[in-house]
Amino acid sequence: MFRADLHCHSTCSDGTVSPQDLVRLAKTVGLSALAITDHDTIDAYLLAEPVAREVGIILGTGVEFSCDYKGKSVHVLGYGFPYNDPQIHNLCMRHQERRKNRNRAILDKLQRLGFALQEKEISQDGVPVGSMGRPHIAHALVKRGIVHSMKEAFNLYLGEGKCCYERGEPFGIPETLDILHAAGAKVFLAHPHLGEGLCKVKELLEMPFDGIECYYARCYPEQEKRWLKLAKDRGLLISGGSDFHGDFKPYITLGCSWVDEETFHQIFPNL
Ligand code: AMP
Ligand code: ZN
Ligand code: FE
Ligand code: FE
């Protein structure tokens, strides 16, 4: 049976599995197609593509952009753009700069609490990654024995609104949607159940999204049904995936959420 996981993270952002190994893992777990959706970078695609051809996985381009909406974080998924699109590349570069400044600000706040982490500790086993963020800082706090788990790091220090949280330079949803659309991408509102409820989702969907991420790991069936109905009522596309992060979220397996062949081809008509 055709299954496509359209939401996962590699070592190019806050996943712990390399793009090449993600594709191999996709094959092992019986997926037919995959889109790697790293936070604010598309670097994984070029690394993964030759392996996808070798092992027989259909690989689509993907990205998960961090946006700000009224001071809160919203994630936007983009699919099916040319991987060498200059405007998307430029947006990724701006995000990398934002992340560098933001990580530094978070480390400053932690230092004021007496937790002096070095910038070089914020890496995957010493290897610097592209989109570094709060999970890397959380992991470093665990390694230092300052917290017991990454979850605790978010609950105590790094989660939205906690004492060491930094929003960083905000990127708006309209600008992000414009850039993705200009590149021919289909754009989805990611994991709507993690937001502030149906009203907020409806408000967000006033913006020109192409679809909603309806299938998601650890999303309850009644939540899925709610998003599927909303997509149908509004004539929006459906997407889905696991949001696999490897060891950073060990309770989520690649392929545990997926879309079927018809849904996949609505998002990737050229594949
Ligand atoms: P960042 O892109 O640096 O803002 O980090 C966002 C990522 O951190 C999310 O995509 C999740 O992978 C992870 N994350 C956010 N909140 C939590 C949490 N409460 N517990 C564990 N991981 C989280
Ligand atoms: Zn993540
Ligand atoms: Fe997300
Ligand atoms: Fe994600």
Side-chain angles (χ1 to χ4, degrees):
M1 188 181 48
F2 185 106
R3 292 184 297 133
D5 188 335
L6 303 183
H7 191 157
C8 61
H9 297 268
S10 79
T11 44
C12 292
S13 68
D14 59 359
T16 62
V17 177
S18 71
Q20 295 91 332
D21 283 346
L22 258 186
V23 172
R24 293 188 188 102
L25 184 58
K27 190 72 188 172
T28 306
V29 301
L31 289 168
S32 311
L34 187 74
I36 302 175
T37 51
D38 276 311
H39 297 288
D40 310 322
T41 173
I42 56 172
D43 287 352
Y45 184 82
L46 264 194
L47 298 166
E49 202 270 336
V51 184
R53 245 184 302 153
E54 184 190 317
V55 302
I57 285 283
I58 304 170
L59 185 71
T61 51
V63 65
E64 182 174 21
F65 276 121
S66 314
C67 294
D68 182 276
Y69 183 74
K70 298 187 176 173
K72 290 270 163 64
S73 161
V74 172
H75 286 174
V76 166
L77 294 162
Y79 296 109
F81 47 83
Y83 72 86
N84 54 2
D85 180 84
Q87 298 312 322
I88 292 184
H89 182 76
N90 182 262
L91 181 58
C92 290
M93 291 296 109
R94 287 168 58 205
H95 269 287
Q96 297 316 312
E97 199 54 34
R98 168 184 76 88
R99 285 181 171 276
K100 227 187 292 167
N101 297 332
R102 176 186 184 233
N103 289 341
R104 217 169 278 139
I106 294 174
L107 293 185
D108 282 349
K109 283 188 171 175
L110 284 166
Q111 180 153 28
R112 271 178 248 133
L113 291 183
F115 310 133
L117 295 180
Q118 304 300 314
E119 272 185 62
K120 65 175 184 303
E121 287 179 79
I122 316 304
S123 60
Q124 302 257 27
D125 296 324
V127 183
V129 294
S131 277
M132 281 194 271
R134 290 179 291 157
H136 302 95
I137 298 175
H139 185 59
L141 289 170
V142 175
K143 276 205 294 200
R144 281 284 204 93
I146 294 165
V147 290
H148 294 102
S149 65
M150 288 175 62
K151 193 171 178 56
E152 189 177 299
F154 274 92
N155 288 343
L156 292 179
Y157 306 115
L158 303 174
E160 230 169 319
K162 303 296 177 190
C163 59
C164 297
Y165 182 71
E166 269 291 329
R167 191 162 63 135
E169 182 200 343
F171 284 70
I173 297 176
E175 179 194 9
T176 304
L177 298 193
D178 279 352
I179 291 169
L180 284 165
H181 278 148
K186 298 273 197 310
V187 185
F188 290 73
L189 178 62
H191 39 64
H193 65 293
L194 298 181
E196 292 163 70
L198 187 59
C199 279
K200 194 58 170 271
V201 169
K202 287 183 172 168
E203 194 180 310
L204 287 165
L205 291 176
E206 296 296 315
M207 287 177 274
F209 282 96
D210 299 295
I212 313 171
E213 187 176 47
C214 296
Y215 300 108
Y216 186 87
R218 310 187 106 207
C219 192
Y220 296 113
E222 56 269 32
Q223 291 174 318
E224 281 180 7
K225 272 194 208 137
R226 171 200 263 185
W227 309 129
L228 289 167
K229 181 175 183 311
L230 189 59
K232 193 165 175 224
D233 288 349
R234 302 211 170 196
L236 290 168
L237 295 172
I238 289 160
S239 74
S242 60
D243 206 1
F244 177 75
H245 280 74
D247 292 342
F248 276 0
K249 290 187 183 173
Y251 43 87
I252 288 171
T253 54
L254 189 68
C256 68
S257 246
W258 47 274
V259 297
D260 63 15
E261 190 164 13
E262 189 189 338
T263 308
F264 176 78
H265 286 300
Q266 283 170 348
I267 303 173
F268 295 98
N270 302 323
L271 290 182

